[in-house]
């Protein structure tokens, strides 16, 4: 099946003021071109990074396949010398399955090339989620017998080359495929007031505190329904779903 993708807009020469005041409030992915990242875009080669990093020990995920699955955990943690890690990464194609985060993110492509596919948080219902992660690993050739709703999710796609900066708004799901060895740097920041976040969450991997409380309340409500016979549980659970759809979704959600 050939997938149709919506190209992520690319803009060159965007000033900080223009991004902050005009583009950032739109809450949509955007590739920024022509930003001066300095000498790193040409200097950070395999040899240079191996020399600078030396034999410093680094803990990494190691998997037998390119698509690592953080739900079934088809990988191991290993400690490798930094220079060996860089050399190994240069020889392997890597793909990150798609995930969402609660912080905004700049993905800065310093060297190399990546293909990035993104999905709107409004299409979460089609992504077969387990927490913030999707069960669908192969997004270019998914098992539609197992994941039939996935075909309804709208794909946004872009290619990143050295010097490109991709803005990934919070909650947007993203799948990253390395097309050649390169170095990418992520910069995360909080879009909401600081009190909305879990104070122990450094990298934006946990739900906002209000969302966590709501999930706990829902779990308690479902546990209460378990006191009823199956026919009643089913009926009132469906009413709860309809109530959430009616009350919680914004009017312009669709």
């Amino acid at each position: 099946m050939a997938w149709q993708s919506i190209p992520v807009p690319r803009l060159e020469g965007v000033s900080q003021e223009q991004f902050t005041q005009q583009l950032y409030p739109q809450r949509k992915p955007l590739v920024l071109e022509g930003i001066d990242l300095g000498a790193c875009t040409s200097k950070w080669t395999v040899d240079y990074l191996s020399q600078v990093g030396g034999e410093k020990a680094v803990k990494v995920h190691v998997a037998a396949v390119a698509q690592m699955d953080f739900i079934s955990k088809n990988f191991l943690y290993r400690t490798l010398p930094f220079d060996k890690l860089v050399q190994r990464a240069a020889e392997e194609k890597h793909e990150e399955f798609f995930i969402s985060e609660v912080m905004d993110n700049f993905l800065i492509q310093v060297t190399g090339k990546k293909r990035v596919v993104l999905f709107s948080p409004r299409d979460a219902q089609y992504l077969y989620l387990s927490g913030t992660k999707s069960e669908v690993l192969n997004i270019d050739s998914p098992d539609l017998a197992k994941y039939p709703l996935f075909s309804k999710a709208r794909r946004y796609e872009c290619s990143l080359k050295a010097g490109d900066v991709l803005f990934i708004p919070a909650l947007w799901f993203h799948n990253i495929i390395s097309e050649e060895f390169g170095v990418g740097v992520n910069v995360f920041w909080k879009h909401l007031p600081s009190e909305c976040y879990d104070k122990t969450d450094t990298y934006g991997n946990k739900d906002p505190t209000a969302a966590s409380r709501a999930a706990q309340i829902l779990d308690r409500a479902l546990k209460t329904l378990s006191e009823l016979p199956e026919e009643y549980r089913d009926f009132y659970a469906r009413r709860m779903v309809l109530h959430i759809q009616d009350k919680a979704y914004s009017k312009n959600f669709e």
Side-chain angles (χ1 to χ4, degrees), residues 56-175:
K56 182 178 179 180
V58 180
K59 190 174 182 180
V60 295
H61 307 100
V62 177
V65 295
Q67 296 166 330
M68 286 194 292
D69 184 352
F70 281 76
I71 298 176
S72 66
K73 299 191 184 302
N74 64 345
F75 55 84
L76 300 173
Y77 288 100
R78 288 187 59 189
T79 300
L80 297 174
F82 186 84
D83 54 354
K84 295 292 190 297
L85 171 63
V86 172
Q87 293 167 13
R88 177 170 180 164
E91 298 170 357
E92 297 179 351
K93 181 179 179 180
H94 179 62
E95 179 173 345
E96 300 176 12
F97 74 109
F98 54 96
I99 185 173
S100 71
E101 288 143 334
V102 299
M103 293 187 190
D104 287 341
N105 178 12
F106 274 144
L107 171 54
I108 304 169
Q109 191 64 31
V110 180
T111 65
K113 295 180 180 179
K114 285 187 175 72
R115 178 167 70 95
V116 184
V117 179
L118 304 106
F119 297 88
S120 167
R122 294 183 175 180
D123 282 347
Q125 59 190 319
Y126 308 131
L127 301 182
Y128 296 89
L129 299 180
S130 176
T132 61
K133 307 170 183 66
S134 173
E135 296 178 9
V136 184
L137 297 182
N138 190 342
I139 64 170
D140 293 323
S141 183
D143 183 350
L144 293 181
K146 187 176 182 181
Y147 307 114
L149 295 178
F150 183 72
S151 61
K152 296 184 178 183
R154 292 160 294 180
R155 299 161 61 102
Y156 296 75
E157 189 165 339
C158 64
S159 294
L160 300 180
K161 62 183 184 301
D164 287 344
V165 176
L166 171 62
F167 169 53
I168 306 177
L171 306 182
W172 277 74
F173 297 86
H174 46 283
N175 190 87

Side-chain angles (χ1 to χ4, degrees), residues 129-230:
L129 299 180
S130 176
T132 61
K133 307 170 183 66
S134 173
E135 296 178 9
V136 184
L137 297 182
N138 190 342
I139 64 170
D140 293 323
S141 183
D143 183 350
L144 293 181
K146 187 176 182 181
Y147 307 114
L149 295 178
F150 183 72
S151 61
K152 296 184 178 183
R154 292 160 294 180
R155 299 161 61 102
Y156 296 75
E157 189 165 339
C158 64
S159 294
L160 300 180
K161 62 183 184 301
D164 287 344
V165 176
L166 171 62
F167 169 53
I168 306 177
L171 306 182
W172 277 74
F173 297 86
H174 46 283
N175 190 87
I176 301 174
I177 302 98
S178 297
E179 296 185 328
E180 65 179 38
F181 172 76
V183 178
V185 178
N186 291 95
V187 179
F188 298 92
W189 70 95
K190 295 177 179 178
H191 169 60
L192 304 176
S194 58
E195 60 268 19
C196 295
Y197 299 91
D198 188 317
K199 294 181 179 179
T200 64
D201 184 18
T202 304
Y203 299 106
N205 295 325
K206 297 182 180 180
D207 292 330
T209 53
S212 295
R213 292 197 304 270
Q216 292 169 3
I217 293 170
L218 179 59
D219 286 341
R220 290 196 295 271
L222 293 174
K223 185 176 180 179
T224 302
L225 285 184
S226 67
E227 300 172 7
L228 296 172
E230 180 179 357

